[in-house]
Amino acid sequence: MGFGYGISPCAPLILITGYAATLPVGFAVILGAVFALAITISPVLFIILISGALAKRMNKEIPQYLTWFRLGCYVLMIVLFAAGLIKEVIE
């Protein structure tokens, strides 16, 4: 999904690309790596909150469904980001 978002330009990506073009190659690579890490933080936090916080409670109450719940969270995230990516590509 990250690669797909990378090839569909968004405003922050265009700004970072323009800024990176003015930097030496080493600094531009570091800037790109920091941007890539920063852009992945919000989905990772969302998954941790959903599957982590609720998983502890579910493990006590309904442990047989915990694996399916985690799988559902991952599939939901993939579907949401895929839908957003398709929407951006179409527009």
Coordinates of all heavy atoms in Angstrom, one line a residue:
M1 N 0.8 -1.2 0.0 CA 0.0 0.0 0.0 C 0.9 1.3 0.0 O 0.5 2.2 -0.6 CB -0.9 0.0 1.2 CG -2.0 -1.1 1.2 SD -2.9 -1.3 -0.3 CE -3.7 0.2 -0.4
G2 N 2.0 1.2 0.7 CA 2.9 2.3 0.8 C 3.4 2.7 -0.6 O 3.6 3.8 -1.0
F3 N 3.8 1.7 -1.4 CA 4.3 1.9 -2.7 C 3.2 2.5 -3.6 O 3.4 3.4 -4.3 CB 4.7 0.6 -3.4 CG 5.2 0.7 -4.8 CD1 6.4 1.3 -5.1 CD2 4.4 0.3 -5.8 CE1 6.8 1.5 -6.4 CE2 4.8 0.5 -7.1 CZ 6.0 1.0 -7.4
G4 N 2.0 2.1 -3.4 CA 0.9 2.6 -4.2 C 0.6 4.1 -3.9 O 0.4 4.9 -4.7
Y5 N 0.7 4.4 -2.6 CA 0.5 5.8 -2.2 C 1.7 6.6 -2.7 O 1.6 7.8 -2.9 CB 0.4 5.9 -0.7 CG -1.0 5.8 -0.2 CD1 -1.3 4.8 0.7 CD2 -2.0 6.7 -0.6 CE1 -2.6 4.6 1.2 CE2 -3.3 6.5 -0.1 CZ -3.6 5.5 0.8 OH -4.9 5.4 1.2
G6 N 2.9 6.0 -2.7 CA 4.1 6.7 -3.2 C 4.0 7.1 -4.7 O 4.5 8.2 -5.1
I7 N 3.3 6.3 -5.5 CA 3.2 6.6 -6.9 C 2.1 7.5 -7.2 O 2.0 8.1 -8.3 CB 3.2 5.4 -7.8 CG1 2.0 4.5 -7.5 CG2 4.5 4.6 -7.7 CD1 1.8 3.4 -8.4
S8 N 1.1 7.7 -6.3 CA 0.0 8.6 -6.5 C 0.4 9.9 -5.6 O 0.3 9.8 -4.4 CB -1.3 8.0 -6.0 OG -1.3 7.8 -4.6
P9 N 0.8 11.0 -6.3 CA 1.3 12.1 -5.5 C 0.2 12.8 -4.6 O -1.0 12.9 -5.0 CB 1.7 13.1 -6.6 CG 1.1 12.6 -7.8 CD 0.8 11.2 -7.7
C10 N 0.6 13.1 -3.4 CA -0.2 13.9 -2.5 C 0.6 15.2 -2.2 O 1.7 15.3 -2.5 CB -0.5 13.1 -1.3 SG 0.9 12.7 -0.3
A11 N -0.1 16.1 -1.6 CA 0.5 17.4 -1.3 C 1.8 17.3 -0.5 O 2.8 17.9 -0.8 CB -0.5 18.4 -0.7
P12 N 1.8 16.6 0.6 CA 3.0 16.5 1.4 C 4.1 15.8 0.6 O 5.3 16.2 0.7 CB 2.6 15.6 2.6 CG 1.2 15.8 2.7 CD 0.7 15.9 1.4
L13 N 3.8 14.8 -0.2 CA 4.8 14.1 -0.9 C 5.4 15.0 -2.0 O 6.7 15.0 -2.2 CB 4.3 12.9 -1.6 CG 5.2 12.0 -2.5 CD1 6.3 11.5 -1.6 CD2 4.5 10.9 -3.2
I14 N 4.6 15.8 -2.6 CA 5.1 16.8 -3.6 C 6.0 17.8 -2.9 O 7.1 18.2 -3.5 CB 4.0 17.5 -4.4 CG1 3.3 16.4 -5.2 CG2 4.5 18.6 -5.2 CD1 2.0 16.9 -5.9
L15 N 5.6 18.3 -1.8 CA 6.5 19.3 -1.0 C 7.8 18.6 -0.6 O 8.9 19.3 -0.8 CB 5.7 19.8 0.2 CG 4.6 20.7 -0.1 CD1 3.8 21.0 1.2 CD2 5.0 22.0 -0.7
I16 N 7.8 17.4 -0.1 CA 9.0 16.7 0.3 C 9.9 16.5 -0.9 O 11.1 16.6 -0.8 CB 8.7 15.4 1.0 CG1 8.0 15.7 2.4 CG2 9.9 14.6 1.2 CD1 8.9 16.4 3.4
T17 N 9.3 16.1 -2.0 CA 10.1 15.8 -3.2 C 10.8 17.1 -3.7 O 11.9 17.1 -4.1 CB 9.2 15.3 -4.3 OG1 8.5 14.1 -3.8 CG2 10.0 14.9 -5.6
G18 N 10.0 18.2 -3.7 CA 10.6 19.5 -4.1 C 11.7 19.9 -3.2 O 12.8 20.4 -3.6
Y19 N 11.6 19.7 -1.9 CA 12.6 20.1 -1.0 C 13.8 19.1 -1.1 O 14.9 19.6 -1.0 CB 12.0 20.0 0.5 CG 13.1 20.4 1.5 CD1 13.6 21.7 1.6 CD2 13.5 19.5 2.5 CE1 14.5 22.0 2.5 CE2 14.4 19.8 3.5 CZ 14.9 21.1 3.5 OH 15.8 21.4 4.4
A20 N 13.6 17.8 -1.3 CA 14.6 16.9 -1.5 C 15.5 17.2 -2.7 O 16.7 16.9 -2.8 CB 14.1 15.5 -1.5
A21 N 14.8 17.8 -3.8 CA 15.6 18.1 -5.0 C 16.6 19.2 -4.8 O 17.6 19.3 -5.5 CB 14.6 18.5 -6.1
T22 N 16.4 20.0 -3.7 CA 17.4 21.0 -3.4 C 18.5 20.5 -2.5 O 19.5 21.3 -2.3 CB 16.7 22.2 -2.7 OG1 16.2 21.8 -1.5 CG2 15.6 22.8 -3.6
L23 N 18.5 19.3 -2.0 CA 19.4 18.8 -1.1 C 20.5 17.9 -1.8 O 20.2 17.4 -2.8 CB 18.7 18.0 0.0 CG 17.8 18.8 1.0 CD1 17.1 17.8 1.9 CD2 18.5 19.8 1.8
P24 N 21.6 17.7 -1.1 CA 22.5 16.7 -1.6 C 21.9 15.3 -1.5 O 21.0 15.1 -0.8 CB 23.7 16.8 -0.7 CG 23.7 18.1 -0.1 CD 22.2 18.5 0.0
V25 N 22.4 14.4 -2.3 CA 21.8 13.0 -2.4 C 21.6 12.3 -1.0 O 20.6 11.8 -0.7 CB 22.6 12.1 -3.4 CG1 22.0 10.7 -3.4 CG2 22.5 12.7 -4.8
G26 N 22.7 12.4 -0.2 CA 22.6 11.7 1.1 C 21.5 12.3 2.0 O 20.8 11.5 2.6
F27 N 21.4 13.6 2.0 CA 20.4 14.2 2.8 C 19.0 14.0 2.3 O 18.0 13.8 3.0 CB 20.6 15.7 2.9 CG 21.8 16.1 3.8 CD1 22.8 16.9 3.3 CD2 21.9 15.6 5.1 CE1 23.9 17.2 4.1 CE2 23.0 15.9 5.9 CZ 24.0 16.7 5.4
A28 N 18.9 13.9 0.9 CA 17.6 13.6 0.3 C 17.1 12.2 0.7 O 15.9 12.0 0.9 CB 17.7 13.8 -1.2
V29 N 18.1 11.3 0.7 CA 17.7 9.9 1.1 C 17.2 9.8 2.5 O 16.2 9.2 2.9 CB 18.9 8.9 0.8 CG1 18.7 7.6 1.5 CG2 19.2 8.8 -0.7
I30 N 18.0 10.5 3.4 CA 17.6 10.6 4.8 C 16.2 11.2 5.0 O 15.3 10.8 5.7 CB 18.6 11.3 5.6 CG1 19.9 10.5 5.7 CG2 18.1 11.6 7.1 CD1 21.1 11.2 6.3
L31 N 16.0 12.3 4.2 CA 14.7 13.0 4.3 C 13.6 12.1 3.8 O 12.5 12.0 4.4 CB 14.7 14.2 3.4 CG 13.4 15.0 3.3 CD1 13.0 15.6 4.6 CD2 13.5 16.1 2.2
G32 N 13.8 11.3 2.7 CA 12.8 10.4 2.3 C 12.5 9.3 3.3 O 11.4 8.9 3.5
A33 N 13.6 8.8 3.9 CA 13.4 7.7 4.9 C 12.6 8.2 6.1 O 11.7 7.5 6.6 CB 14.7 7.2 5.4
V34 N 12.9 9.4 6.6 CA 12.2 10.0 7.7 C 10.7 10.2 7.3 O 9.8 9.9 8.1 CB 12.8 11.3 8.2 CG1 12.0 12.0 9.2 CG2 14.2 11.0 8.8
F35 N 10.5 10.7 6.1 CA 9.1 10.9 5.7 C 8.3 9.6 5.6 O 7.2 9.5 6.0 CB 9.1 11.6 4.3 CG 7.7 11.9 3.7 CD1 6.9 12.9 4.2 CD2 7.2 11.1 2.7 CE1 5.7 13.1 3.7 CE2 6.0 11.3 2.2 CZ 5.2 12.3 2.7
A36 N 9.0 8.6 5.1 CA 8.3 7.2 5.0 C 8.0 6.7 6.3 O 6.9 6.1 6.5 CB 9.3 6.3 4.2
L37 N 8.9 6.9 7.3 CA 8.6 6.4 8.6 C 7.5 7.2 9.3 O 6.6 6.6 9.9 CB 9.9 6.5 9.5 CG 11.0 5.5 9.2 CD1 12.2 5.8 10.0 CD2 10.5 4.0 9.5
A38 N 7.5 8.5 9.1 CA 6.5 9.3 9.7 C 5.1 9.1 9.1 O 4.1 9.1 9.8 CB 6.8 10.8 9.5
I39 N 5.0 8.8 7.8 CA 3.7 8.5 7.2 C 3.1 7.2 7.6 O 1.9 7.0 7.5 CB 3.9 8.7 5.7 CG1 2.6 9.1 5.0 CG2 4.3 7.4 5.0 CD1 2.3 10.5 5.1
T40 N 4.0 6.3 8.1 CA 3.5 4.9 8.5 C 3.1 4.9 10.0 O 2.5 3.9 10.4 CB 4.5 3.8 8.3 OG1 5.7 4.1 9.0 CG2 4.8 3.7 6.8
I41 N 3.4 5.9 10.7 CA 3.1 5.9 12.2 C 1.6 5.9 12.5 O 1.2 5.1 13.3 CB 3.7 7.1 12.9 CG1 5.2 6.9 12.9 CG2 3.2 7.3 14.3 CD1 6.0 8.1 13.5
S42 N 0.8 6.6 11.8 CA -0.7 6.7 12.1 C -1.4 5.3 11.9 O -2.1 4.9 12.7 CB -1.4 7.8 11.4 OG -1.2 7.7 10.0
P43 N -1.1 4.7 10.7 CA -1.8 3.3 10.6 C -1.3 2.3 11.6 O -2.1 1.5 12.1 CB -1.4 2.9 9.2 CG -1.0 4.1 8.5 CD -0.5 5.1 9.5
V44 N 0.0 2.4 11.9 CA 0.5 1.4 12.9 C -0.1 1.7 14.3 O -0.5 0.7 15.0 CB 2.1 1.5 13.0 CG1 2.6 0.8 14.1 CG2 2.7 1.0 11.7
L45 N -0.2 2.9 14.7 CA -0.8 3.3 16.0 C -2.3 2.8 16.0 O -2.8 2.3 17.0 CB -0.7 4.8 16.2 CG 0.6 5.3 16.6 CD1 0.6 6.8 16.8 CD2 1.1 4.6 17.9
F46 N -3.0 3.0 14.9 CA -4.4 2.6 14.8 C -4.5 1.1 15.0 O -5.3 0.6 15.8 CB -5.0 3.0 13.4 CG -6.4 2.7 13.3 CD1 -7.4 3.4 14.0 CD2 -6.8 1.7 12.4 CE1 -8.7 3.1 13.9 CE2 -8.2 1.5 12.2 CZ -9.1 2.2 13.0
I47 N -3.7 0.3 14.3 CA -3.7 -1.2 14.5 C -3.3 -1.6 15.9 O -4.0 -2.5 16.4 CB -2.7 -1.8 13.4 CG1 -3.3 -1.9 12.1 CG2 -2.4 -3.2 13.8 CD1 -4.5 -2.8 11.9
I48 N -2.3 -0.9 16.5 CA -1.9 -1.3 17.8 C -3.1 -1.0 18.8 O -3.4 -1.8 19.7 CB -0.7 -0.5 18.2 CG1 0.5 -1.1 17.5 CG2 -0.4 -0.6 19.7 CD1 1.8 -0.3 17.7
L49 N -3.7 0.1 18.7 CA -4.8 0.4 19.6 C -6.0 -0.5 19.4 O -6.5 -1.0 20.4 CB -5.3 1.9 19.3 CG -4.4 3.0 19.8 CD1 -4.9 4.3 19.4 CD2 -4.2 2.9 21.3
I50 N -6.4 -0.8 18.2 CA -7.5 -1.7 18.0 C -7.2 -3.1 18.4 O -7.9 -3.7 19.2 CB -8.0 -1.7 16.5 CG1 -8.7 -0.3 16.3 CG2 -9.0 -2.8 16.3 CD1 -9.3 -0.2 14.9
S51 N -6.1 -3.7 17.8 CA -5.9 -5.1 18.1 C -5.2 -5.3 19.4 O -5.3 -6.4 20.0 CB -5.0 -5.7 17.0 OG -3.7 -5.1 17.0
G52 N -4.5 -4.3 20.0 CA -3.8 -4.5 21.2 C -4.7 -4.3 22.4 O -4.8 -5.1 23.3
A53 N -5.4 -3.1 22.5 CA -6.2 -2.8 23.6 C -7.4 -3.8 23.7 O -7.8 -4.3 24.8 CB -6.7 -1.4 23.5
L54 N -8.1 -4.0 22.6 CA -9.2 -4.9 22.6 C -8.9 -6.4 22.8 O -9.6 -7.1 23.3 CB -10.1 -4.7 21.4 CG -10.8 -3.3 21.3 CD1 -11.5 -3.2 20.0 CD2 -11.7 -3.1 22.5
A55 N -7.7 -6.7 22.3 CA -7.3 -8.1 22.3 C -7.1 -8.6 23.8 O -7.4 -9.8 24.1 CB -6.0 -8.3 21.6
K56 N -6.6 -7.8 24.7 CA -6.4 -8.2 26.1 C -7.8 -8.5 26.7 O -7.9 -9.5 27.4 CB -5.7 -7.1 26.9 CG -4.3 -6.9 26.5 CD -3.7 -5.8 27.3 CE -2.3 -5.5 26.9 NZ -1.7 -4.3 27.6
R57 N -8.7 -7.7 26.4 CA -10.1 -7.9 27.0 C -10.7 -9.1 26.3 O -11.4 -9.9 27.0 CB -10.9 -6.7 26.8 CG -12.2 -6.7 27.6 CD -12.8 -5.3 27.6 NE -14.0 -5.3 28.4 CZ -14.8 -4.4 28.4 NH1 -14.7 -3.3 27.6 NH2 -15.9 -4.5 29.2
M58 N -10.6 -9.3 25.0 CA -11.1 -10.4 24.3 C -10.5 -11.7 24.7 O -11.1 -12.7 24.8 CB -11.0 -10.2 22.8 CG -11.9 -9.2 22.2 SD -11.7 -9.0 20.5 CE -12.3 -10.5 19.9
N59 N -9.2 -11.7 25.1 CA -8.5 -12.9 25.5 C -9.1 -13.4 26.8 O -9.1 -14.7 27.0 CB -7.0 -12.6 25.7 CG -6.2 -13.8 25.7 OD1 -6.6 -14.9 25.2 ND2 -5.0 -13.7 26.2
K60 N -9.6 -12.6 27.6 CA -10.3 -13.0 28.9 C -11.7 -13.6 28.6 O -12.1 -14.5 29.2 CB -10.3 -11.9 29.9 CG -9.0 -11.5 30.4 CD -9.2 -10.3 31.3 CE -7.8 -9.8 31.8 NZ -7.9 -8.5 32.6
E61 N -12.4 -12.9 27.7 CA -13.8 -13.2 27.5 C -14.1 -14.2 26.5 O -14.8 -15.2 26.7 CB -14.6 -11.9 27.2 CG -14.6 -10.9 28.4 CD -15.3 -9.6 28.1 OE1 -16.1 -9.6 27.1 OE2 -15.2 -8.7 28.8
I62 N -13.5 -14.0 25.3 CA -13.7 -15.0 24.2 C -12.4 -15.3 23.5 O -12.1 -14.8 22.3 CB -14.7 -14.4 23.2 CG1 -14.5 -12.9 22.8 CG2 -16.1 -14.5 23.7 CD1 -15.4 -12.4 21.7
P63 N -11.5 -16.0 24.1 CA -10.2 -16.3 23.5 C -10.2 -17.0 22.1 O -9.3 -16.9 21.3 CB -9.5 -17.1 24.5 CG -10.5 -17.7 25.4 CD -11.7 -16.8 25.3
Q64 N -11.3 -17.8 21.8 CA -11.3 -18.5 20.6 C -11.5 -17.6 19.4 O -11.2 -18.0 18.3 CB -12.4 -19.6 20.6 CG -13.8 -19.1 20.7 CD -14.3 -18.8 22.1 OE1 -13.6 -18.7 23.0 NE2 -15.7 -18.8 22.2
Y65 N -11.9 -16.4 19.6 CA -12.2 -15.5 18.4 C -11.1 -14.4 18.3 O -11.1 -13.6 17.4 CB -13.5 -14.8 18.6 CG -14.7 -15.7 18.5 CD1 -15.5 -15.9 19.6 CD2 -14.9 -16.4 17.4 CE1 -16.6 -16.7 19.6 CE2 -16.0 -17.3 17.3 CZ -16.8 -17.4 18.5 OH -17.9 -18.3 18.4
L66 N -10.0 -14.5 19.1 CA -9.0 -13.5 19.1 C -8.2 -13.4 17.8 O -8.0 -12.4 17.2 CB -8.0 -13.7 20.3 CG -7.0 -12.6 20.5 CD1 -7.6 -11.2 20.7 CD2 -6.1 -12.9 21.7
T67 N -7.8 -14.6 17.3 CA -7.1 -14.7 16.0 C -8.0 -14.1 14.9 O -7.4 -13.4 14.0 CB -6.7 -16.1 15.7 OG1 -5.9 -16.6 16.8 CG2 -5.9 -16.2 14.5
W68 N -9.2 -14.4 14.9 CA -10.1 -13.9 13.8 C -10.3 -12.4 13.9 O -10.4 -11.7 12.9 CB -11.5 -14.6 13.9 CG -11.4 -16.1 13.4 CD1 -11.5 -17.1 14.3 CD2 -11.1 -16.6 12.1 NE1 -11.3 -18.3 13.5 CE2 -11.1 -18.0 12.2 CE3 -10.9 -16.0 10.9 CZ2 -10.8 -18.8 11.1 CZ3 -10.7 -16.8 9.8 CH2 -10.7 -18.2 9.9
F69 N -10.3 -11.9 15.1 CA -10.4 -10.5 15.3 C -9.2 -9.8 14.8 O -9.3 -8.7 14.1 CB -10.6 -10.2 16.8 CG -10.6 -8.7 17.1 CD1 -11.7 -7.9 16.8 CD2 -9.6 -8.1 17.7 CE1 -11.7 -6.6 17.0 CE2 -9.6 -6.8 18.0 CZ -10.6 -6.0 17.7
R70 N -8.0 -10.3 15.1 CA -6.8 -9.6 14.6 C -6.8 -9.7 13.1 O -6.4 -8.7 12.4 CB -5.6 -10.3 15.2 CG -5.4 -10.0 16.6 CD -4.1 -10.6 17.2 NE -3.9 -10.2 18.6 CZ -3.2 -10.9 19.4 NH1 -2.7 -12.0 19.1 NH2 -3.1 -10.5 20.6
L71 N -7.1 -10.8 12.5 CA -7.1 -11.0 11.1 C -8.1 -10.0 10.4 O -7.8 -9.3 9.4 CB -7.5 -12.4 10.7 CG -7.6 -12.7 9.2 CD1 -6.2 -12.5 8.5 CD2 -8.1 -14.1 8.9
G72 N -9.3 -9.8 11.1 CA -10.3 -8.8 10.6 C -9.7 -7.4 10.6 O -10.0 -6.6 9.7
C73 N -9.0 -7.1 11.7 CA -8.4 -5.7 11.8 C -7.4 -5.5 10.6 O -7.4 -4.4 10.0 CB -7.7 -5.6 13.1 SG -8.7 -5.3 14.5
Y74 N -6.6 -6.5 10.3 CA -5.6 -6.3 9.3 C -6.3 -6.2 7.9 O -5.9 -5.4 7.1 CB -4.6 -7.5 9.3 CG -3.8 -7.6 10.5 CD1 -3.5 -8.9 11.1 CD2 -3.4 -6.5 11.2 CE1 -2.8 -9.0 12.2 CE2 -2.6 -6.6 12.4 CZ -2.4 -7.9 12.9 OH -1.6 -8.0 14.0
V75 N -7.3 -7.0 7.7 CA -8.0 -7.0 6.4 C -8.7 -5.6 6.3 O -8.7 -5.0 5.2 CB -9.0 -8.2 6.3 CG1 -9.9 -8.0 5.1 CG2 -8.2 -9.5 6.2
L76 N -9.3 -5.2 7.3 CA -10.0 -3.9 7.3 C -9.0 -2.7 7.0 O -9.4 -1.9 6.1 CB -10.7 -3.6 8.7 CG -11.4 -2.2 8.8 CD1 -12.6 -2.2 7.9 CD2 -11.8 -2.0 10.3
M77 N -7.9 -2.7 7.5 CA -6.9 -1.7 7.2 C -6.5 -1.8 5.8 O -6.3 -0.7 5.1 CB -5.6 -1.8 8.1 CG -5.9 -1.5 9.6 SD -6.3 0.3 9.8 CE -4.8 1.1 9.3
I78 N -6.2 -3.0 5.2 CA -5.9 -3.1 3.8 C -7.0 -2.6 2.9 O -6.7 -1.9 2.0 CB -5.5 -4.6 3.5 CG1 -4.2 -4.9 4.2 CG2 -5.4 -4.8 2.0 CD1 -3.8 -6.4 4.2
V79 N -8.2 -2.9 3.2 CA -9.3 -2.5 2.4 C -9.5 -1.0 2.5 O -9.7 -0.3 1.4 CB -10.6 -3.2 2.9 CG1 -11.9 -2.6 2.2 CG2 -10.6 -4.7 2.5
L80 N -9.4 -0.4 3.7 CA -9.5 1.1 3.8 C -8.4 1.8 3.0 O -8.7 2.7 2.3 CB -9.4 1.5 5.2 CG -10.6 1.1 6.1 CD1 -10.4 1.5 7.5 CD2 -11.9 1.9 5.6
F81 N -7.2 1.3 3.1 CA -6.1 2.0 2.4 C -6.2 1.7 0.9 O -5.9 2.6 0.0 CB -4.7 1.6 2.9 CG -4.5 2.3 4.2 CD1 -4.3 1.5 5.4 CD2 -4.4 3.6 4.3 CE1 -4.0 2.1 6.6 CE2 -4.1 4.2 5.6 CZ -4.0 3.5 6.7
A82 N -6.6 0.5 0.5 CA -6.8 0.3 -0.9 C -7.9 1.1 -1.5 O -7.8 1.6 -2.6 CB -7.1 -1.2 -1.1
A83 N -9.0 1.3 -0.8 CA -10.1 2.2 -1.3 C -9.6 3.6 -1.4 O -9.9 4.3 -2.4 CB -11.3 2.1 -0.3
G84 N -8.8 4.1 -0.5 CA -8.3 5.4 -0.6 C -7.4 5.6 -1.7 O -7.4 6.6 -2.4
L85 N -6.5 4.6 -2.0 CA -5.6 4.6 -3.1 C -6.3 4.6 -4.4 O -6.0 5.4 -5.3 CB -4.6 3.4 -3.0 CG -3.6 3.3 -4.1 CD1 -2.7 4.5 -4.1 CD2 -2.8 2.0 -4.0
I86 N -7.3 3.8 -4.5 CA -8.1 3.7 -5.8 C -8.8 5.0 -6.0 O -8.9 5.5 -7.1 CB -9.1 2.5 -5.7 CG1 -8.3 1.2 -5.8 CG2 -10.1 2.6 -6.8 CD1 -9.2 0.0 -5.5
K87 N -9.3 5.6 -5.0 CA -10.0 6.9 -5.1 C -9.0 8.0 -5.6 O -9.4 8.8 -6.4 CB -10.6 7.3 -3.7 CG -11.4 8.6 -3.8 CD -11.9 9.0 -2.4 CE -12.5 10.4 -2.4 NZ -12.8 10.8 -1.0
E88 N -7.8 8.0 -5.0 CA -6.8 9.0 -5.5 C -6.4 8.8 -6.9 O -6.2 9.7 -7.7 CB -5.6 8.9 -4.6 CG -5.8 9.6 -3.2 CD -4.5 9.6 -2.4 OE1 -3.5 9.7 -3.0 OE2 -4.6 9.7 -1.2
V89 N -6.3 7.5 -7.3 CA -5.8 7.2 -8.7 C -6.9 7.6 -9.7 O -6.6 8.2 -10.8 CB -5.5 5.7 -8.8 CG1 -5.3 5.3 -10.3 CG2 -4.2 5.4 -8.0
I90 N -8.2 7.4 -9.4 CA -9.3 7.7 -10.3 C -9.4 9.2 -10.4 O -9.7 9.7 -11.5 CB -10.6 7.1 -9.8 CG1 -10.5 5.6 -9.9 CG2 -11.8 7.6 -10.5 CD1 -11.7 4.8 -9.3
E91 N -9.2 10.0 -9.4 CA -9.4 11.4 -9.4 C -8.2 12.0 -10.1 O -7.6 12.5 -10.7 CB -9.5 12.0 -8.1 CG -10.8 11.6 -7.4 CD -10.9 12.2 -6.0 OE1 -9.9 12.7 -5.5 OE2 -11.9 12.0 -5.4

